Amino acid sequence: MRTFPGMVLGCLLTIGVVYVHDSMATSTVASGASAGTSRQIVNWDVAASEWGQVKENVRTTWLKLKANNG
């Protein structure tokens, strides 16, 4: 049973580390003269758009289930 919380924690840590990396890659501090060439790992605009679509699909499905059961 400890496996599931470990997997959730691993996913959250991975997302957190990628977010920190990407925020450093695009910050003005990291873009100075001594900065190396660093690119973002995740296109956060696309990720936000996809997440919005997932939320809308879940909401629509939930409303359909409520309508069928009520």
Side-chain angles (χ1 to χ4, degrees):
M1 190 61 188
R2 294 186 310 204
T3 302
F4 182 71
M7 290 189 311
V8 171
L9 181 63
C11 289
L12 292 175
L13 281 172
T14 301
I15 292 169
V17 168
V18 168
Y19 180 78
V20 168
H21 173 271
D22 283 354
S23 65
M24 293 297 290
T26 58
S27 72
T28 56
V29 175
S31 301
S34 63
T37 57
S38 180
R39 294 179 32 194
Q40 283 186 332
I41 297 173
V42 176
N43 186 341
W44 292 102
D45 296 331
V46 174
S49 172
E50 292 293 324
W51 180 246
Q53 186 64 36
V54 167
K55 289 193 310 188
E56 184 61 30
N57 288 343
V58 168
R59 182 180 163 279
T60 302
T61 303
W62 176 253
L63 292 175
K64 285 180 185 178
L65 284 172
K66 269 180 53 175
N68 289 338
N69 289 332

Short mmCIF file of all heavy atoms in Angstrom, two decimals:
data_model
loop_
_atom_site.label_atom_id
_atom_site.label_comp_id
_atom_site.label_asym_id
_atom_site.label_seq_id
_atom_site.Cartn_x
_atom_site.Cartn_y
_atom_site.Cartn_z
N MET A 1 0.81 -1.20 0.00
CA MET A 1 0.00 0.00 0.00
C MET A 1 0.85 1.26 0.00
O MET A 1 0.38 2.31 -0.36
CB MET A 1 -0.92 -0.05 1.23
CG MET A 1 -1.98 1.00 1.23
SD MET A 1 -3.05 0.77 -0.20
CE MET A 1 -4.03 2.21 -0.11
N ARG A 2 2.12 1.16 0.38
CA ARG A 2 2.99 2.33 0.37
C ARG A 2 3.46 2.67 -1.03
O ARG A 2 4.03 3.74 -1.25
CB ARG A 2 4.19 2.09 1.27
CG ARG A 2 3.80 1.97 2.73
CD ARG A 2 4.99 1.87 3.61
NE ARG A 2 5.94 0.86 3.17
CZ ARG A 2 6.81 0.26 3.94
NH1 ARG A 2 6.85 0.57 5.22
NH2 ARG A 2 7.63 -0.63 3.46
N THR A 3 3.23 1.79 -1.97
CA THR A 3 3.68 2.02 -3.34
C THR A 3 2.94 3.18 -3.98
O THR A 3 3.54 4.03 -4.65
CB THR A 3 3.49 0.75 -4.18
OG1 THR A 3 4.21 -0.31 -3.56
CG2 THR A 3 4.00 0.95 -5.59
N PHE A 4 1.62 3.24 -3.80
CA PHE A 4 0.82 4.29 -4.44
C PHE A 4 1.21 5.69 -3.96
O PHE A 4 1.45 6.57 -4.81
CB PHE A 4 -0.67 4.03 -4.22
CG PHE A 4 -1.54 5.04 -4.90
CD1 PHE A 4 -1.65 5.06 -6.28
CD2 PHE A 4 -2.22 5.98 -4.16
CE1 PHE A 4 -2.44 5.99 -6.91
CE2 PHE A 4 -3.01 6.93 -4.79
CZ PHE A 4 -3.12 6.94 -6.17
N PRO A 5 1.31 5.96 -2.65
CA PRO A 5 1.77 7.30 -2.24
C PRO A 5 3.18 7.61 -2.74
O PRO A 5 3.48 8.76 -3.05
CB PRO A 5 1.74 7.25 -0.72
CG PRO A 5 0.77 6.18 -0.39
CD PRO A 5 0.88 5.18 -1.49
N GLY A 6 4.02 6.59 -2.85
CA GLY A 6 5.36 6.81 -3.39
C GLY A 6 5.34 7.22 -4.84
O GLY A 6 6.10 8.09 -5.27
N MET A 7 4.44 6.61 -5.62
CA MET A 7 4.32 6.99 -7.03
C MET A 7 3.77 8.40 -7.17
O MET A 7 4.24 9.18 -8.01
CB MET A 7 3.44 5.99 -7.78
CG MET A 7 4.08 4.63 -7.94
SD MET A 7 3.22 3.48 -9.02
CE MET A 7 1.55 3.51 -8.46
N VAL A 8 2.78 8.76 -6.35
CA VAL A 8 2.22 10.11 -6.39
C VAL A 8 3.30 11.13 -6.01
O VAL A 8 3.46 12.15 -6.68
CB VAL A 8 1.00 10.22 -5.46
CG1 VAL A 8 0.55 11.65 -5.32
CG2 VAL A 8 -0.14 9.35 -5.97
N LEU A 9 4.04 10.85 -4.96
CA LEU A 9 5.12 11.75 -4.54
C LEU A 9 6.17 11.88 -5.63
O LEU A 9 6.67 12.98 -5.90
CB LEU A 9 5.75 11.26 -3.24
CG LEU A 9 6.87 12.12 -2.68
CD1 LEU A 9 6.36 13.49 -2.31
CD2 LEU A 9 7.50 11.44 -1.47
N GLY A 10 6.52 10.79 -6.28
CA GLY A 10 7.49 10.83 -7.37
C GLY A 10 7.02 11.69 -8.53
O GLY A 10 7.79 12.47 -9.09
N CYS A 11 5.75 11.56 -8.88
CA CYS A 11 5.19 12.40 -9.96
C CYS A 11 5.23 13.87 -9.58
O CYS A 11 5.61 14.72 -10.40
CB CYS A 11 3.76 11.97 -10.28
SG CYS A 11 3.64 10.40 -11.09
N LEU A 12 4.82 14.19 -8.35
CA LEU A 12 4.82 15.58 -7.91
C LEU A 12 6.23 16.15 -7.87
O LEU A 12 6.46 17.30 -8.27
CB LEU A 12 4.15 15.70 -6.55
CG LEU A 12 2.65 15.43 -6.52
CD1 LEU A 12 2.13 15.46 -5.09
CD2 LEU A 12 1.90 16.41 -7.40
N LEU A 13 7.18 15.37 -7.41
CA LEU A 13 8.58 15.82 -7.39
C LEU A 13 9.11 16.05 -8.80
O LEU A 13 9.81 17.04 -9.05
CB LEU A 13 9.46 14.82 -6.65
CG LEU A 13 9.42 14.88 -5.14
CD1 LEU A 13 10.19 13.71 -4.54
CD2 LEU A 13 9.97 16.19 -4.64
N THR A 14 8.77 15.16 -9.72
CA THR A 14 9.22 15.31 -11.10
C THR A 14 8.66 16.59 -11.71
O THR A 14 9.40 17.36 -12.35
CB THR A 14 8.80 14.09 -11.94
OG1 THR A 14 9.37 12.92 -11.36
CG2 THR A 14 9.25 14.23 -13.38
N ILE A 15 7.38 16.82 -11.53
CA ILE A 15 6.75 18.03 -12.08
C ILE A 15 7.36 19.27 -11.44
O ILE A 15 7.65 20.26 -12.12
CB ILE A 15 5.23 17.98 -11.87
CG1 ILE A 15 4.63 16.88 -12.75
CG2 ILE A 15 4.59 19.33 -12.19
CD1 ILE A 15 3.19 16.56 -12.45
N GLY A 16 7.60 19.22 -10.13
CA GLY A 16 8.19 20.36 -9.44
C GLY A 16 9.60 20.67 -9.93
O GLY A 16 9.94 21.83 -10.17
N VAL A 17 10.41 19.65 -10.10
CA VAL A 17 11.79 19.86 -10.56
C VAL A 17 11.80 20.41 -11.99
O VAL A 17 12.57 21.32 -12.31
CB VAL A 17 12.60 18.55 -10.46
CG1 VAL A 17 13.92 18.65 -11.20
CG2 VAL A 17 12.84 18.21 -9.00
N VAL A 18 10.93 19.89 -12.85
CA VAL A 18 10.86 20.39 -14.23
C VAL A 18 10.40 21.84 -14.24
O VAL A 18 10.93 22.67 -14.99
CB VAL A 18 9.94 19.49 -15.09
CG1 VAL A 18 9.62 20.13 -16.41
CG2 VAL A 18 10.59 18.14 -15.30
N TYR A 19 9.43 22.17 -13.40
CA TYR A 19 8.94 23.55 -13.34
C TYR A 19 10.05 24.50 -12.90
O TYR A 19 10.24 25.57 -13.49
CB TYR A 19 7.74 23.65 -12.41
CG TYR A 19 7.20 25.05 -12.31
CD1 TYR A 19 6.40 25.57 -13.32
CD2 TYR A 19 7.52 25.87 -11.23
CE1 TYR A 19 5.93 26.86 -13.25
CE2 TYR A 19 7.04 27.16 -11.16
CZ TYR A 19 6.24 27.66 -12.16
OH TYR A 19 5.78 28.93 -12.10
N VAL A 20 10.80 24.11 -11.87
CA VAL A 20 11.91 24.95 -11.40
C VAL A 20 12.96 25.09 -12.49
O VAL A 20 13.47 26.19 -12.75
CB VAL A 20 12.52 24.37 -10.10
CG1 VAL A 20 13.83 25.05 -9.75
CG2 VAL A 20 11.52 24.50 -8.95
N HIS A 21 13.29 24.00 -13.17
CA HIS A 21 14.27 24.06 -14.26
C HIS A 21 13.81 25.01 -15.35
O HIS A 21 14.57 25.85 -15.83
CB HIS A 21 14.50 22.67 -14.84
CG HIS A 21 15.36 22.69 -16.07
ND1 HIS A 21 14.83 22.84 -17.33
CD2 HIS A 21 16.70 22.60 -16.23
CE1 HIS A 21 15.81 22.84 -18.21
NE2 HIS A 21 16.96 22.69 -17.56
N ASP A 22 12.55 24.88 -15.75
CA ASP A 22 12.04 25.73 -16.82
C ASP A 22 11.95 27.19 -16.41
O ASP A 22 12.20 28.08 -17.22
CB ASP A 22 10.66 25.24 -17.28
CG ASP A 22 10.75 24.00 -18.16
OD1 ASP A 22 11.88 23.59 -18.50
OD2 ASP A 22 9.69 23.45 -18.50
N SER A 23 11.62 27.45 -15.16
CA SER A 23 11.56 28.84 -14.72
C SER A 23 12.96 29.45 -14.67
O SER A 23 13.14 30.63 -14.95
CB SER A 23 10.86 28.97 -13.37
OG SER A 23 11.61 28.34 -12.36
N MET A 24 13.96 28.65 -14.36
CA MET A 24 15.34 29.15 -14.38
C MET A 24 15.84 29.32 -15.82
O MET A 24 16.64 30.21 -16.09
CB MET A 24 16.26 28.19 -13.63
CG MET A 24 16.00 28.13 -12.14
SD MET A 24 16.29 29.68 -11.32
CE MET A 24 18.07 29.78 -11.44
N ALA A 25 15.38 28.49 -16.72
CA ALA A 25 15.83 28.57 -18.11
C ALA A 25 15.30 29.82 -18.80
O ALA A 25 15.93 30.33 -19.72
CB ALA A 25 15.37 27.33 -18.89
N THR A 26 14.18 30.34 -18.35
CA THR A 26 13.59 31.50 -19.01
C THR A 26 13.70 32.77 -18.18
O THR A 26 13.23 33.81 -18.59
CB THR A 26 12.10 31.25 -19.30
OG1 THR A 26 11.43 30.98 -18.08
CG2 THR A 26 11.92 30.11 -20.26
N SER A 27 14.35 32.72 -17.01
CA SER A 27 14.45 33.92 -16.18
C SER A 27 15.50 34.87 -16.74
O SER A 27 16.40 34.48 -17.48
CB SER A 27 14.80 33.54 -14.74
OG SER A 27 16.13 33.11 -14.66
N THR A 28 15.39 36.14 -16.37
CA THR A 28 16.36 37.13 -16.84
C THR A 28 17.70 36.92 -16.16
O THR A 28 18.74 37.25 -16.73
CB THR A 28 15.85 38.54 -16.56
OG1 THR A 28 15.58 38.67 -15.16
CG2 THR A 28 14.59 38.83 -17.35
N VAL A 29 17.71 36.36 -14.96
CA VAL A 29 18.97 36.08 -14.27
C VAL A 29 19.75 35.00 -15.01
O VAL A 29 20.96 35.10 -15.20
CB VAL A 29 18.71 35.67 -12.80
CG1 VAL A 29 20.00 35.26 -12.12
CG2 VAL A 29 18.02 36.79 -12.06
N ALA A 30 19.05 33.96 -15.47
CA ALA A 30 19.72 32.86 -16.16
C ALA A 30 20.07 33.22 -17.59
O ALA A 30 20.82 32.51 -18.24
CB ALA A 30 18.82 31.62 -16.16
N SER A 31 19.58 34.33 -18.10
CA SER A 31 19.84 34.72 -19.49
C SER A 31 21.00 35.70 -19.60
O SER A 31 21.16 36.33 -20.64
CB SER A 31 18.58 35.35 -20.09
OG SER A 31 17.52 34.44 -20.04
N GLY A 32 21.78 35.85 -18.58
CA GLY A 32 22.89 36.79 -18.59
C GLY A 32 24.02 36.34 -19.51
O GLY A 32 23.91 35.37 -20.26
N ALA A 33 25.13 37.05 -19.43
CA ALA A 33 26.27 36.78 -20.31
C ALA A 33 26.90 35.42 -20.04
O ALA A 33 27.44 34.79 -20.94
CB ALA A 33 27.31 37.88 -20.14
N SER A 34 26.83 34.96 -18.79
CA SER A 34 27.47 33.70 -18.46
C SER A 34 26.52 32.50 -18.57
O SER A 34 26.90 31.39 -18.23
CB SER A 34 28.02 33.76 -17.03
OG SER A 34 26.96 33.94 -16.13
N ALA A 35 25.30 32.73 -19.01
CA ALA A 35 24.33 31.63 -19.10
C ALA A 35 24.63 30.75 -20.30
O ALA A 35 25.01 31.22 -21.36
CB ALA A 35 22.93 32.18 -19.20
N GLY A 36 24.44 29.47 -20.11
CA GLY A 36 24.58 28.53 -21.22
C GLY A 36 23.29 28.47 -22.02
O GLY A 36 22.29 29.10 -21.67
N THR A 37 23.31 27.74 -23.10
CA THR A 37 22.09 27.59 -23.88
C THR A 37 21.21 26.56 -23.20
O THR A 37 21.56 25.39 -23.11
CB THR A 37 22.40 27.18 -25.33
OG1 THR A 37 23.14 25.96 -25.29
CG2 THR A 37 23.19 28.24 -26.05
N SER A 38 20.08 27.00 -22.70
CA SER A 38 19.17 26.13 -21.99
C SER A 38 17.77 26.34 -22.53
O SER A 38 17.35 27.48 -22.71
CB SER A 38 19.21 26.45 -20.49
OG SER A 38 18.33 25.60 -19.80
N ARG A 39 17.09 25.25 -22.81
CA ARG A 39 15.74 25.34 -23.34
C ARG A 39 14.77 24.77 -22.33
O ARG A 39 15.13 23.97 -21.49
CB ARG A 39 15.64 24.54 -24.64
CG ARG A 39 16.47 25.15 -25.75
CD ARG A 39 16.41 24.37 -27.02
NE ARG A 39 15.13 23.70 -27.21
CZ ARG A 39 14.91 22.76 -28.10
NH1 ARG A 39 15.88 22.36 -28.87
NH2 ARG A 39 13.74 22.19 -28.22
N GLN A 40 13.52 25.18 -22.45
CA GLN A 40 12.49 24.63 -21.58
C GLN A 40 12.25 23.17 -21.91
O GLN A 40 12.35 22.75 -23.05
CB GLN A 40 11.18 25.39 -21.77
CG GLN A 40 11.14 26.73 -21.11
CD GLN A 40 9.76 27.35 -21.23
OE1 GLN A 40 9.03 27.07 -22.15
NE2 GLN A 40 9.44 28.20 -20.28
N ILE A 41 11.90 22.41 -20.89
CA ILE A 41 11.57 21.01 -21.08
C ILE A 41 10.11 20.87 -21.49
O ILE A 41 9.76 20.07 -22.35
CB ILE A 41 11.85 20.21 -19.79
CG1 ILE A 41 13.34 20.25 -19.47
CG2 ILE A 41 11.35 18.78 -19.91
CD1 ILE A 41 13.70 19.64 -18.13
N VAL A 42 9.24 21.69 -20.88
CA VAL A 42 7.80 21.60 -21.11
C VAL A 42 7.32 22.90 -21.72
O VAL A 42 7.72 23.98 -21.30
CB VAL A 42 7.06 21.36 -19.76
CG1 VAL A 42 5.56 21.37 -19.96
CG2 VAL A 42 7.51 20.06 -19.13
N ASN A 43 6.44 22.81 -22.70
CA ASN A 43 5.77 23.99 -23.23
C ASN A 43 4.56 24.22 -22.34
O ASN A 43 3.51 23.59 -22.49
CB ASN A 43 5.35 23.74 -24.69
CG ASN A 43 4.79 24.98 -25.33
OD1 ASN A 43 4.38 25.91 -24.65
ND2 ASN A 43 4.76 24.97 -26.64
N TRP A 44 4.69 25.14 -21.38
CA TRP A 44 3.68 25.32 -20.34
C TRP A 44 2.37 25.88 -20.89
O TRP A 44 1.31 25.63 -20.31
CB TRP A 44 4.23 26.18 -19.22
CG TRP A 44 5.32 25.45 -18.49
CD1 TRP A 44 6.66 25.64 -18.64
CD2 TRP A 44 5.17 24.38 -17.56
NE1 TRP A 44 7.36 24.75 -17.84
CE2 TRP A 44 6.47 23.97 -17.16
CE3 TRP A 44 4.08 23.71 -17.01
CZ2 TRP A 44 6.69 22.95 -16.26
CZ3 TRP A 44 4.30 22.70 -16.10
CH2 TRP A 44 5.59 22.32 -15.73
N ASP A 45 2.42 26.62 -21.98
CA ASP A 45 1.18 27.12 -22.58
C ASP A 45 0.33 25.97 -23.11
O ASP A 45 -0.88 25.92 -22.91
CB ASP A 45 1.48 28.11 -23.72
CG ASP A 45 2.19 29.36 -23.22
OD1 ASP A 45 1.96 29.73 -22.05
OD2 ASP A 45 2.95 29.94 -24.00
N VAL A 46 0.97 25.03 -23.78
CA VAL A 46 0.26 23.87 -24.30
C VAL A 46 -0.22 22.99 -23.14
O VAL A 46 -1.35 22.49 -23.16
CB VAL A 46 1.17 23.06 -25.25
CG1 VAL A 46 0.51 21.77 -25.68
CG2 VAL A 46 1.53 23.90 -26.47
N ALA A 47 0.61 22.82 -22.12
CA ALA A 47 0.21 22.02 -20.96
C ALA A 47 -1.01 22.62 -20.27
O ALA A 47 -1.93 21.90 -19.88
CB ALA A 47 1.37 21.89 -19.98
N ALA A 48 -1.04 23.94 -20.12
CA ALA A 48 -2.19 24.60 -19.50
C ALA A 48 -3.44 24.43 -20.35
O ALA A 48 -4.54 24.19 -19.83
CB ALA A 48 -1.90 26.08 -19.28
N SER A 49 -3.29 24.52 -21.66
CA SER A 49 -4.43 24.34 -22.56
C SER A 49 -4.96 22.92 -22.48
O SER A 49 -6.18 22.70 -22.39
CB SER A 49 -4.01 24.66 -23.99
OG SER A 49 -5.02 24.33 -24.89
N GLU A 50 -4.07 21.94 -22.49
CA GLU A 50 -4.49 20.54 -22.39
C GLU A 50 -5.14 20.26 -21.04
O GLU A 50 -6.13 19.54 -20.97
CB GLU A 50 -3.28 19.61 -22.60
CG GLU A 50 -2.73 19.62 -24.00
CD GLU A 50 -3.68 19.04 -25.02
OE1 GLU A 50 -4.40 18.07 -24.69
OE2 GLU A 50 -3.72 19.55 -26.14
N TRP A 51 -4.60 20.83 -19.96
CA TRP A 51 -5.18 20.63 -18.64
C TRP A 51 -6.59 21.22 -18.58
O TRP A 51 -7.49 20.63 -18.00
CB TRP A 51 -4.29 21.25 -17.58
CG TRP A 51 -4.84 21.07 -16.20
CD1 TRP A 51 -5.29 22.05 -15.37
CD2 TRP A 51 -5.02 19.85 -15.48
NE1 TRP A 51 -5.73 21.50 -14.19
CE2 TRP A 51 -5.58 20.15 -14.24
CE3 TRP A 51 -4.76 18.50 -15.79
CZ2 TRP A 51 -5.88 19.19 -13.29
CZ3 TRP A 51 -5.07 17.55 -14.84
CH2 TRP A 51 -5.62 17.89 -13.62
N GLY A 52 -6.78 22.38 -19.20
CA GLY A 52 -8.11 22.97 -19.26
C GLY A 52 -9.09 22.08 -20.01
O GLY A 52 -10.26 21.93 -19.61
N GLN A 53 -8.63 21.45 -21.08
CA GLN A 53 -9.48 20.54 -21.85
C GLN A 53 -9.83 19.29 -21.03
O GLN A 53 -10.96 18.82 -21.06
CB GLN A 53 -8.79 20.14 -23.15
CG GLN A 53 -9.64 19.32 -24.08
CD GLN A 53 -10.84 20.08 -24.59
OE1 GLN A 53 -10.77 21.28 -24.83
NE2 GLN A 53 -11.96 19.41 -24.71
N VAL A 54 -8.86 18.77 -20.28
CA VAL A 54 -9.12 17.61 -19.43
C VAL A 54 -10.16 17.96 -18.37
O VAL A 54 -11.11 17.20 -18.13
CB VAL A 54 -7.81 17.11 -18.77
CG1 VAL A 54 -8.10 16.13 -17.64
CG2 VAL A 54 -6.92 16.48 -19.80
N LYS A 55 -10.02 19.12 -17.74
CA LYS A 55 -10.99 19.54 -16.72
C LYS A 55 -12.38 19.69 -17.31
O LYS A 55 -13.37 19.29 -16.69
CB LYS A 55 -10.55 20.85 -16.06
CG LYS A 55 -9.35 20.69 -15.16
CD LYS A 55 -9.09 21.89 -14.27
CE LYS A 55 -9.06 23.20 -14.98
NZ LYS A 55 -8.63 24.32 -14.14
N GLU A 56 -12.47 20.26 -18.50
CA GLU A 56 -13.77 20.43 -19.15
C GLU A 56 -14.39 19.08 -19.51
O GLU A 56 -15.60 18.87 -19.34
CB GLU A 56 -13.62 21.28 -20.42
CG GLU A 56 -14.92 21.59 -21.11
CD GLU A 56 -15.90 22.36 -20.25
OE1 GLU A 56 -15.47 23.14 -19.39
OE2 GLU A 56 -17.12 22.16 -20.43
N ASN A 57 -13.58 18.13 -19.97
CA ASN A 57 -14.09 16.79 -20.28
C ASN A 57 -14.59 16.08 -19.03
O ASN A 57 -15.63 15.41 -19.07
CB ASN A 57 -13.01 15.94 -20.96
CG ASN A 57 -12.75 16.38 -22.38
OD1 ASN A 57 -13.54 17.08 -22.98
ND2 ASN A 57 -11.60 15.98 -22.91
N VAL A 58 -13.86 16.20 -17.92
CA VAL A 58 -14.28 15.58 -16.67
C VAL A 58 -15.59 16.22 -16.20
O VAL A 58 -16.52 15.53 -15.77
CB VAL A 58 -13.18 15.70 -15.59
CG1 VAL A 58 -13.69 15.35 -14.21
CG2 VAL A 58 -11.99 14.83 -15.97
N ARG A 59 -15.68 17.53 -16.30
CA ARG A 59 -16.90 18.23 -15.88
C ARG A 59 -18.09 17.79 -16.72
O ARG A 59 -19.17 17.51 -16.19
CB ARG A 59 -16.69 19.74 -16.00
CG ARG A 59 -17.87 20.57 -15.57
CD ARG A 59 -17.55 22.08 -15.74
NE ARG A 59 -18.75 22.85 -15.70
CZ ARG A 59 -19.59 23.04 -16.70
NH1 ARG A 59 -19.34 22.48 -17.87
NH2 ARG A 59 -20.67 23.77 -16.58
N THR A 60 -17.91 17.70 -18.03
CA THR A 60 -18.99 17.28 -18.93
C THR A 60 -19.42 15.84 -18.62
O THR A 60 -20.62 15.56 -18.55
CB THR A 60 -18.52 17.37 -20.40
OG1 THR A 60 -18.12 18.71 -20.66
CG2 THR A 60 -19.62 16.98 -21.35
N THR A 61 -18.46 14.96 -18.40
CA THR A 61 -18.78 13.58 -18.08
C THR A 61 -19.51 13.48 -16.74
O THR A 61 -20.48 12.72 -16.61
CB THR A 61 -17.50 12.73 -18.05
OG1 THR A 61 -16.83 12.85 -19.31
CG2 THR A 61 -17.80 11.26 -17.78
N TRP A 62 -19.08 14.27 -15.76
CA TRP A 62 -19.74 14.25 -14.46
C TRP A 62 -21.19 14.72 -14.58
O TRP A 62 -22.09 14.15 -13.98
CB TRP A 62 -18.97 15.14 -13.49
CG TRP A 62 -19.64 15.24 -12.15
CD1 TRP A 62 -20.31 16.30 -11.64
CD2 TRP A 62 -19.71 14.21 -11.16
NE1 TRP A 62 -20.79 16.01 -10.41
CE2 TRP A 62 -20.45 14.71 -10.08
CE3 TRP A 62 -19.23 12.91 -11.09
CZ2 TRP A 62 -20.70 13.97 -8.94
CZ3 TRP A 62 -19.49 12.17 -9.96
CH2 TRP A 62 -20.22 12.70 -8.90
N LEU A 63 -21.42 15.77 -15.36
CA LEU A 63 -22.79 16.26 -15.56
C LEU A 63 -23.65 15.23 -16.26
O LEU A 63 -24.84 15.06 -15.92
CB LEU A 63 -22.78 17.58 -16.32
CG LEU A 63 -22.18 18.78 -15.56
CD1 LEU A 63 -22.12 20.00 -16.47
CD2 LEU A 63 -22.99 19.07 -14.30
N LYS A 64 -23.08 14.52 -17.21
CA LYS A 64 -23.85 13.45 -17.89
C LYS A 64 -24.19 12.34 -16.92
O LYS A 64 -25.32 11.81 -16.94
CB LYS A 64 -23.04 12.89 -19.06
CG LYS A 64 -22.99 13.78 -20.26
CD LYS A 64 -22.19 13.14 -21.37
CE LYS A 64 -22.01 14.06 -22.55
NZ LYS A 64 -21.17 13.46 -23.61
N LEU A 65 -23.24 11.94 -16.06
CA LEU A 65 -23.50 10.88 -15.09
C LEU A 65 -24.58 11.31 -14.09
O LEU A 65 -25.46 10.53 -13.73
CB LEU A 65 -22.22 10.52 -14.35
CG LEU A 65 -21.22 9.67 -15.11
CD1 LEU A 65 -19.91 9.57 -14.32
CD2 LEU A 65 -21.78 8.30 -15.39
N LYS A 66 -24.53 12.56 -13.64
CA LYS A 66 -25.53 13.06 -12.72
C LYS A 66 -26.91 13.08 -13.37
O LYS A 66 -27.91 12.75 -12.73
CB LYS A 66 -25.16 14.47 -12.26
CG LYS A 66 -24.33 14.49 -11.01
CD LYS A 66 -23.94 15.86 -10.54
CE LYS A 66 -25.09 16.81 -10.37
NZ LYS A 66 -24.69 18.11 -9.80
N ALA A 67 -26.98 13.45 -14.64
CA ALA A 67 -28.24 13.52 -15.34
C ALA A 67 -28.84 12.11 -15.53
O ALA A 67 -30.06 11.93 -15.44
CB ALA A 67 -28.08 14.19 -16.69
N ASN A 68 -28.00 11.13 -15.77
CA ASN A 68 -28.48 9.76 -15.97
C ASN A 68 -28.93 9.10 -14.68
O ASN A 68 -29.81 8.25 -14.69
CB ASN A 68 -27.41 8.90 -16.64
CG ASN A 68 -27.20 9.28 -18.08
OD1 ASN A 68 -28.07 9.86 -18.72
ND2 ASN A 68 -26.04 8.96 -18.61
N ASN A 69 -28.31 9.45 -13.56
CA ASN A 69 -28.65 8.83 -12.28
C ASN A 69 -29.73 9.59 -11.52
O ASN A 69 -30.31 9.05 -10.58
CB ASN A 69 -27.41 8.71 -11.40
CG ASN A 69 -26.45 7.67 -11.92
OD1 ASN A 69 -26.87 6.73 -12.57
ND2 ASN A 69 -25.18 7.86 -11.63
N GLY A 70 -29.98 10.81 -11.86
CA GLY A 70 -30.92 11.63 -11.08
C GLY A 70 -32.21 11.74 -11.73
O GLY A 70 -33.28 11.90 -11.41
#
